[in-house]
Amino acid sequence: MPNIKPISDLRNYSEVLHDVSVGSPVFLTKNGRGRYAIMDIQDFEKTQATLRLMDELAKGRKSGEEKGWLTLEAVEERLGIKKE
């Protein structure tokens, strides 16, 4: 169940921060609507890494569609991987 609090609870921010943990962000509302999310730094870093990975995968897909896909053998050759 999500941890949702009104932004006015930040007056006592130490209690709000105490409720934040890995995998359990705190969502703050303003005038009854979602406005902010406070998350653990580990979750933030994981999210950023996921976004970077998704960006690189999108670039690879675009390159494959525009320039053509490589065969497994061509990849192994470019990487210098010897098949046994």
Side-chain angles (χ1 to χ4, degrees):
M1 179 177 221
N3 192 349
I4 302 171
K5 297 178 180 277
I7 200 165
S8 60
D9 280 8
L10 282 179
R11 288 184 192 123
N12 190 1
Y13 66 89
S14 61
E15 283 187 29
V16 173
L17 295 179
H18 178 71
D19 291 342
V20 176
S21 61
V22 175
S24 180
V26 172
F27 300 99
L28 300 175
T29 61
K30 185 174 183 180
N31 298 324
R33 295 181 182 214
R35 183 76 172 139
Y36 303 101
I38 302 174
M39 62 174 40
D40 184 86
I41 193 70
Q42 290 177 6
D43 286 336
F44 176 78
E45 289 171 347
K46 183 178 177 182
T47 300
Q48 293 301 305
T50 300
L51 290 173
R52 285 191 300 273
L53 175 60
M54 296 301 291
D55 185 52
E56 290 299 316
L57 290 172
K59 287 178 189 176
R61 181 178 183 150
K62 183 178 179 184
S63 174
E65 291 170 350
E66 291 175 354
K67 298 176 183 176
W69 298 97
L70 295 175
T71 64
L72 175 60
E73 292 77 20
V75 172
E76 289 173 341
E77 183 179 327
R78 283 188 181 195
L79 295 176
I81 301 171
K82 294 183 180 180
K83 264 187 141 177
E84 292 182 19

